[in-house]
Amino acid sequence: LLHVPPAAPLAGAGAAPTALGDAPRPSLAEASAAAQARATRLGRAAGARVALADVAPEIPDFVQRLLPAALRVPVLLREERLHALEGAARRVRRAGVAADVLLLEGSATVALVGEVQRGAHQLLVVPVPAAADPGSDAAAARRLAQHLVRKAPCPVLLVPPAARRRSATAGARAPSPRRRRRVLAALDVTGAADVGVEAPPRPIDAVTRLFALRILRTAALHAALEGAELHVVHVWSAYGERMLRGPRFAGGVADADVRRYVAAVEGHARASLDAVLARCAADVGGRVPPERVHLVKGEAGEVLPALAAAHAIDTLVLGTVARSGFAGLLVGNTAEGVLETLPALAACAMLVVKPDGFVSPIGRPSAVQALAEPRDAQSPAAAGAPAGLGGSATLGTAGATAANGGRHAGR
């Protein structure tokens, strides 16, 4: 689902100047334009349909009672939204990608997740305005993105405004206009290999290991569609290292023992990452070159944004983990923490992958109310769509674009 903000001009295209002559802040409209461009590019590469969706604005009951019926305000609002969607769809079609239009009803989160379920969409693309944008619409869009990351059953691609000045980010390299795009897969692979160390970390279970493989394969597919370089990172830490080096253990644990322990954990992390990469070599077109494999010590929420900036990453791919005892809800610690940081890094999008068997807490609807234009002719490239990204995509109020498996009945 892809969001087209109503009546939101792009910065630099009629946007009002800000106080003290500051440049216009990255806006929801800019993020939406970037998301449309990304969805169009992916749709063309995958031979997928793109469904552009919005959610009709909800008018409070008391307001509806007070509005004169002759004004037809609800109808006019819907016509305005459909007009914006149809304009965006025409731009997508001009790029040679088949596009459909949907106007959904109800809560944005429920409507968009419901449409993902009903239409069997395989990707949801959501524009995310920069954290520096203080507007109420931008804040609502960021909250919606977090809800969709938690509750949508398919992968969610979060697209911030396009970068205008990457060099404003500390430590970032200004990319060449002709450089290849870069996709970074963030894997949690600790314990994925059996290595002989005196104090190995607790091995991960098979489900977690398979999830790492799922993230890597998703990143490889995305990189192939984008014609991008694939990079891989595992962020590791030695459990208890700070405590062992602290004053409570001063003199009780030899520094040499702590260093050996940390080195063992790092060696285990390296072996685990190598094991996963070897397992997926055939899926990613061979071994990932060593210079694109990153083993970094630290906390993921701090390391990933910094690494994305330093290597001019275009898309960061990472996973979410089911919260124990709360089926269908997701721990947002890493994904949502990075979500808050990445828009400030300018151009890095984030693709959030769900574990196999994830079930959304929002029930599958029997029907989703929608106003739509008729389905148009199939994209010329549709017949050659790779597995996992064929079909259609939708543009919506929350700012989302989705590619589905060809099921778009009734639109």
Side-chain angles (χ1 to χ4, degrees):
L1 303 173
L2 176 64
H3 175 51
V4 177
L10 288 174
T18 55
L20 302 180
D22 292 340
R25 292 186 178 92
S27 66
L28 178 56
E30 288 178 312
S32 182
Q36 288 182 53
R38 179 70 69 97
T40 302
R41 196 164 66 233
L42 289 173
R44 185 168 54 237
R49 299 183 68 86
V50 174
L52 297 92
D54 197 358
V55 182
E58 294 185 282
I59 302 177
D61 290 339
F62 79 93
V63 174
Q64 293 192 51
R65 288 194 298 268
L66 295 174
L67 284 171
L71 294 181
R72 301 173 58 246
V73 171
V75 174
L76 292 175
L77 286 174
R78 284 165 173 76
E79 289 178 351
E80 179 187 41
R81 295 292 177 93
L82 277 172
H83 179 73
L85 288 174
E86 288 162 357
R90 285 193 293 272
R91 291 190 292 273
V92 173
R93 294 184 190 116
R94 282 198 295 269
V97 178
D100 303 301
V101 164
L102 282 174
L103 185 60
L104 307 174
E105 303 280 350
S107 157
T109 300
V110 173
L112 292 170
V113 172
E115 172 53 27
V116 167
Q117 295 170 320
R118 190 191 70 82
H121 296 286
Q122 294 177 348
L123 179 66
L124 180 64
V125 183
V126 184
V128 182
D133 188 339
S136 59
D137 288 345
R142 288 192 293 270
R143 287 194 300 271
L144 176 62
Q146 291 179 334
H147 287 309
L148 293 172
V149 163
R150 291 191 189 108
K151 298 173 182 177
C154 67
V156 179
L157 178 61
L158 304 169
V159 183
R164 289 177 293 178
R165 296 185 302 274
R166 254 192 199 273
S167 58
T169 302
R173 295 202 304 262
S176 164
R178 294 181 179 272
R179 74 162 178 84
R180 290 184 68 188
R181 297 186 178 95
R182 294 170 184 164
V183 173
L184 174 64
L187 307 180
D188 180 7
V189 297
T190 303
D194 295 325
V195 293
V197 296
E198 294 181 0
R202 181 180 178 182
I204 60 174
D205 58 30
V207 172
T208 305
R209 184 162 52 250
L210 289 173
F211 190 28
L213 296 173
R214 182 188 186 98
I215 293 168
L216 182 56
R217 287 166 177 153
T218 300
L221 173 60
H222 192 85
L225 291 173
E226 290 274 52
E229 294 178 356
L230 177 62
H231 290 242
V232 177
V233 61
H234 172 50
V235 182
W236 67 278
S237 61
Y239 179 79
E241 179 187 4
R242 184 178 300 177
M243 177 182 66
L244 293 173
R245 294 185 185 278
R248 289 185 59 189
F249 285 82
V253 180
D255 186 62
D257 291 336
V258 176
R259 288 199 304 272
R260 278 195 295 270
Y261 162 65
V262 173
V265 174
E266 181 178 10
H268 193 274
R270 170 65 68 183
S272 297
L273 182 57
D274 289 344
V276 170
L277 293 178
R279 176 83 174 271
C280 280
D283 296 322
V284 300
R287 287 274 189 170
V288 179
E291 65 272 16
R292 299 182 195 168
V293 178
H294 312 278
L295 186 68
V296 185
K297 184 181 180 185
E299 298 298 326
E302 298 173 358
V303 168
L304 294 180
L307 190 68
H311 290 272
I313 297 298
D314 296 281
T315 305
L316 170 64
V317 184
L318 72 168
T320 53
V321 183
R323 178 180 296 160
S324 176
F326 294 88
L329 296 180
L330 298 172
V331 174
N333 292 351
T334 299
E336 291 180 24
V338 176
L339 170 61
E340 288 297 318
T341 307
L342 281 180
L345 301 180
C348 185
M350 185 166 73
L351 178 57
V352 184
V353 181
K354 304 297 172 61
D356 190 35
F358 171 79
V359 178
S360 173
I362 297 176
R364 185 185 182 95
S366 57
V368 176
Q369 291 182 321
L371 300 173
E373 67 176 27
R375 178 174 178 169
D376 64 347
Q378 187 180 27
S379 167
L389 244 184
S392 162
T394 303
L395 174 61
T397 292
T401 301
N404 73 23
R407 182 174 178 273
H408 216 65
R411 295 196 280 276

